[in-house]
Amino acid sequence: MTGSDRLRQRESLFRAAVTQALERDITAVERVLADTGRPLAERLLDAFDQWAGRYIGPLTRDVAVVIEDNPGLLGEIVETTSQRFEQLITDAIAVKAGQAAARQVAQTMISASTGLKHQAASRDFYLERLEVAIDLLVR
């Protein structure tokens, strides 16, 4: 096996692992948001935790750098699951706030989550700060 064959094989395995993780995460987000017996803010916090909170820490920063430095490595799966996540958050908010306002609120929550993820040294820090942001946005 040549060096380029090994590289392609590693890239393929990495793509498969990330795809499986993203599909697992989006399924968990769907489940959390579907539990309408719980308050919206609580479901949103859990959804963001499933989507981003579990990926806070030193090792996950290394994976993010690999993905950022190799944009074609994962193909469209990152974009399509991110769009699906945004739509799920928007739909959950729309039940309470209406569709027009929901998209902007969802996008603002996602931006807050992204910023906090880069600042957070721990999952607890991320969740505490995100809880404040969600509370402000769903009032």
Side-chain angles (χ1 to χ4, degrees), residues 6-25:
R6 282 191 296 277
L7 178 61
R8 278 194 295 277
Q9 186 179 31
R10 280 183 285 199
E11 287 175 351
S12 179
L13 288 171
F14 182 74
R15 225 181 343 270
V18 171
T19 298
Q20 182 180 18
L22 288 171
E23 289 174 359
R24 178 200 64 221
D25 294 346

Side-chain angles (χ1 to χ4, degrees), residues 75-93:
E76 67 180 38
I77 187 70
V78 172
E79 186 175 325
T80 57
T81 54
S82 293
Q83 290 169 348
R84 178 72 181 131
F85 177 73
E86 181 180 322
Q87 190 61 53
L88 288 167
I89 296 298
T90 300
D91 291 347
I93 295 167

